[in-house]
Amino acid sequence: MSERLLEIHDLVASFQTEDGWVRAVDKVSFNVDVGKSVGLVGESGCGKTVTAMSIVDLLPKPSGHVLEGEILLKGEDLRKVTDKRLQAVRGGEVGVIFQEPMTALNPVQRVGKQLVEVLRIHKKLSGRKALQLAIEWLDKVGIPDPEQRAMAYPHQLSGGMRQRVMIAMALCCEPKLVIADEPTTALDVTVQAQILNLLENMRRELGMSVLLITHDLGVIAEQCEEVVVMYAGRIVEKGTVQDVFTRPAHAYTKGLLSSIPRLENAHKSELNTIPGQVAAIKDFVPGCRFCQRMGRRNTMVRRRPPYTEIADGHWVEACRECYEG
Amino acid sequence: MGKKSEFLLQVSNLKQYFPVKGGVFGSKVGDVKAVDGVSFHIKKGETLGLVGESGCGKSTLGKSIVRLLKPTAGQIQFQGMDITNMAQPALRPLRQDFQMVFQDPAESLDSRMNVNELIAEPLVIQRMGNARQRRQRVNELLDQVGLPKSAAQKFPFEFSGGQRQRIGIARALAVNPDLLILDEPVSALDVSVQAQVINLLLELQRELSLSYLFIAHDLAVVKHVSDRVAVMYLGKLVEEAPANELYQDPKHAYTKALFSAIPVPEPGHQRERTILEGEVPSPINPPTGSAFGSRINHPDYEKTVGVDLTPVEISPGHLVAPDQCCLTSEDFAKVKPKEEPLPASTD
């Protein structure tokens, strides 16, 4: 029996907009076990990032709020702790790697200094010791000449190098959980391969868990043990990567998997598509939202479909149109 | 009109340099060799895919071909006519025949124009038809790219990314071009929408016998839509082959590395993963020999310095740079430059 690190129960995250409150994440539940790598996948606007950022309360304020649910990190409900404790968790027990390091890093501070700041706050190190450790971490994430690069500003580094700095910042306090939000989306494939490899090595070395958010199913298949597929603010399917990729149950998962151009595809053949697009959040129906996209008008539009466990740990939102059980 | 050529577009030894200014008086201190001696051709109804990492010069190449830039050297022939140094007024009527579709439709479409105005704009510029005919043509185009007629009165922000890209395509098609330069047309889209736009492009190509230059960094997408694929690295082509052949039998080490870096959506997929060290070097001071050889610190790098690495044919239709660092010795033997007579030795 593996040990639970993070448990999320019925998470609801909402945003205040001109159209009133909209539910970007609508009762989402999943777990991350110790040492495991879980992928969170879905198209843009389906609530992946909002789900992940809710964990450490990094939703854009004042419009974003976690309204309901439990977020348990080693049994401690992060929704109920003090701000001070949450600050210690953020960057301490939970590291976050953001998609675009150019906006996440401070542009007017040397990267070494930014790392030192993290280490001084969370590890209570003296300036000298922190700098030494910062340089060690830059070296660990594969940055050549770490002493010199520590003195560089973010704009002086390439995209891949900036992402390495972000990883060093997220990992330098040896977190138990790393939330990586599209860590390689802005990078070229060859650099992506380097960064994913680095992340994987670090995970093994430090025994941490990873919650990897991406829209790239290829990245999930290679990096993760478990996968959570989100659509329009809800989970439509979750399970081991093996189960979900080889025996996808929900029509959305099937559609996603079959619309990827693959290298072995017949040349210029027609790709499978999912018609339409994700509805705007304010238009989400209470029932099955994939039926909404497909233009199906049936009872499922009115009532939310239940979840069914179709194999050990393989769950699917059992809409009778989208899942043939 | 110029004489008919077998090729719709023929590019020979194209160079596009940008000056680097520096020093106290902003004098020129060097060149960014964004495109450095590229040759290829596109036939009617054919798609040439162009792949490479960011900064390798693929977008610049696209822009020089449609003459949004003035090439530094080389030749661009379109339908047999040399357009390399043609002045803009002379070029304007020709622009009917080649159009460009950009990556980010949110940025390339004027947000203050409605869809009708956006799609009709190229017709106005080319003085084609009267107002009524143009409106009719806009409706026709909306239908062709799968948008409802009601879209005509809306503004770009009212559409999703995929729909905006359809507007970009309709706008490019308005003047009945023969060639579309597609610069990362699907990179900003989600996979299900990406598949819709790819299908649309394939369908339009069949219907209108269009030719495409399809520029992208996603090798799987490029391979899917292209007849032939050219691989670009640091301003130069390193390999070109029919799409299937390139995938089944890549010759150049860089092409192999690119293929091996693509994550495959199959769990447990076994592959030889070559993790490349380093990143694309700067085109300001590119290595004098094999650019890729220098990135991977190949022991034979010195032997490529000063060698002409223009791709040559290794098998029919399959071209590869005769680069000792990046080919197996067997492949290199096939494309090795002819031995020059050695200067009289002194020992």
Side-chain angles (χ1 to χ4, degrees), chain B residues 4-150:
Chain B
K4 278 276 166 205
S5 158
E6 183 196 349
F7 306 126
L8 183 68
L9 176 76
Q10 189 164 15
V11 173
S12 330
N13 205 17
L14 186 69
K15 292 182 181 171
Q16 184 73 58
Y17 295 174
F18 300 102
V20 181
K21 302 222 165 110
V24 187
F25 301 107
S27 56
K28 187 177 144 178
V29 293
D31 281 309
V32 177
K33 299 182 174 175
V35 176
D36 195 13
V38 166
S39 308
F40 63 87
H41 60 82
I42 300 177
K43 291 187 211 149
K44 188 149 182 59
E46 185 186 49
T47 303
L48 177 71
L50 184 64
V51 283
E53 293 176 280
S54 40
C56 76
K58 49 191 196 307
S59 292
T60 306
L61 179 59
K63 284 182 191 158
S64 343
I65 291 168
V66 295
R67 286 292 321 278
L68 292 176
L69 296 168
K70 188 169 163 30
T72 311
Q75 200 185 37
I76 307 162
Q77 277 188 308
F78 185 73
Q79 290 174 332
M81 259 195 288
D82 186 349
I83 62 165
T84 327
N85 296 306
M86 213 176 251
Q88 292 297 338
L91 208 54
R92 179 168 290 176
L94 284 175
R95 287 201 188 279
Q96 278 184 31
D97 297 330
F98 51 88
Q99 288 283 316
M100 191 149 179
V101 176
F102 297 91
Q103 168 171 6
D104 190 347
E107 277 172 33
S108 60
L109 300 176
D110 188 334
S111 57
R112 289 165 302 178
M113 289 166 92
N114 69 24
V115 170
N116 183 50
E117 291 166 323
L118 280 167
I119 299 180
E121 193 184 28
L123 297 169
V124 175
I125 292 171
Q126 295 288 353
R127 299 174 205 279
M128 291 166 88
N130 57 31
R132 202 174 53 88
Q133 286 164 326
R134 279 182 216 138
R135 216 170 304 129
Q136 203 179 344
R137 176 82 180 124
V138 169
N139 282 338
E140 215 177 277
L141 285 160
L142 284 174
D143 187 48
Q144 235 165 6
V145 299
L147 289 172
K149 280 199 178 61
S150 58

Side-chain angles (χ1 to χ4, degrees), chain B residues 257-309:
Chain B
L258 270 187
F259 274 116
S260 86
I262 304 175
V264 180
E266 280 160 36
H269 176 84
Q270 291 298 318
R271 60 172 172 148
E272 284 173 54
R273 198 166 183 180
T274 339
I275 303 253
L276 286 177
E277 296 285 320
E279 289 160 43
V280 183
S282 154
I284 296 180
N285 272 315
T288 43
S290 159
F292 189 66
S294 98
R295 173 166 170 187
I296 57 177
N297 276 325
H298 197 278
D300 286 338
Y301 170 72
E302 288 304 325
K303 293 185 191 165
T304 63
V305 174
V307 175
D308 179 11
L309 295 175

Side-chain angles (χ1 to χ4, degrees), chain A residues 128-173:
Chain A
R128 269 228 342 264
K129 276 221 171 109
L131 183 63
Q132 200 185 342
L133 195 57
I135 291 168
E136 262 173 48
W137 268 98
L138 290 176
D139 187 40
K140 251 190 210 176
V141 295
I143 293 180
D145 307 325
E147 286 94 351
Q148 281 171 27
R149 294 302 174 96
M151 301 308 285
Y153 290 95
H155 74 267
Q156 295 171 313
L157 302 175
S158 68
M161 286 298 153
R162 283 199 289 264
Q163 199 52 286
R164 286 171 195 268
V165 172
M166 276 291 314
I167 292 177
M169 279 180 77
L171 301 190
C172 65
C173 296

Side-chain angles (χ1 to χ4, degrees), chain B residues 293-336:
Chain B
S294 98
R295 173 166 170 187
I296 57 177
N297 276 325
H298 197 278
D300 286 338
Y301 170 72
E302 288 304 325
K303 293 185 191 165
T304 63
V305 174
V307 175
D308 179 11
L309 295 175
T310 309
V312 292
E313 217 164 48
I314 187 165
S315 59
H318 192 154
L319 285 75
V320 67
D323 182 339
Q324 194 165 357
C325 305
C326 303
L327 296 176
T328 61
S329 48
E330 196 185 327
D331 287 335
F332 181 63
K334 292 183 203 157
V335 291
K336 194 157 56 173

Side-chain angles (χ1 to χ4, degrees), chain B residues 88-230:
Chain B
Q88 292 297 338
L91 208 54
R92 179 168 290 176
L94 284 175
R95 287 201 188 279
Q96 278 184 31
D97 297 330
F98 51 88
Q99 288 283 316
M100 191 149 179
V101 176
F102 297 91
Q103 168 171 6
D104 190 347
E107 277 172 33
S108 60
L109 300 176
D110 188 334
S111 57
R112 289 165 302 178
M113 289 166 92
N114 69 24
V115 170
N116 183 50
E117 291 166 323
L118 280 167
I119 299 180
E121 193 184 28
L123 297 169
V124 175
I125 292 171
Q126 295 288 353
R127 299 174 205 279
M128 291 166 88
N130 57 31
R132 202 174 53 88
Q133 286 164 326
R134 279 182 216 138
R135 216 170 304 129
Q136 203 179 344
R137 176 82 180 124
V138 169
N139 282 338
E140 215 177 277
L141 285 160
L142 284 174
D143 187 48
Q144 235 165 6
V145 299
L147 289 172
K149 280 199 178 61
S150 58
Q153 299 312 318
K154 293 186 180 168
F155 289 85
F157 74 89
E158 298 178 70
F159 296 91
S160 67
Q163 289 171 323
R164 276 200 288 256
Q165 196 54 288
R166 287 172 193 264
I167 298 170
I169 294 169
R171 184 174 147 92
L173 288 178
V175 291
N176 282 318
D178 294 316
L179 174 69
L180 286 190
I181 314 282
L182 302 152
D183 188 4
E184 303 267 12
V186 296
S187 316
L189 307 176
D190 273 313
V191 24
S192 71
V193 180
Q194 168 180 295
Q196 294 170 8
V197 174
I198 290 175
N199 283 349
L200 172 68
L201 287 170
L202 290 174
E203 193 189 307
L204 289 170
Q205 180 167 48
R206 274 194 303 273
E207 267 171 35
L208 308 170
S209 53
L210 294 167
S211 304
Y212 292 150
L213 175 64
F214 193 102
I215 303 170
H217 65 274
D218 185 332
L219 204 45
V221 170
V222 168
K223 194 221 150 218
H224 189 88
V225 300
S226 307
D227 296 289
R228 284 180 299 125
V229 177

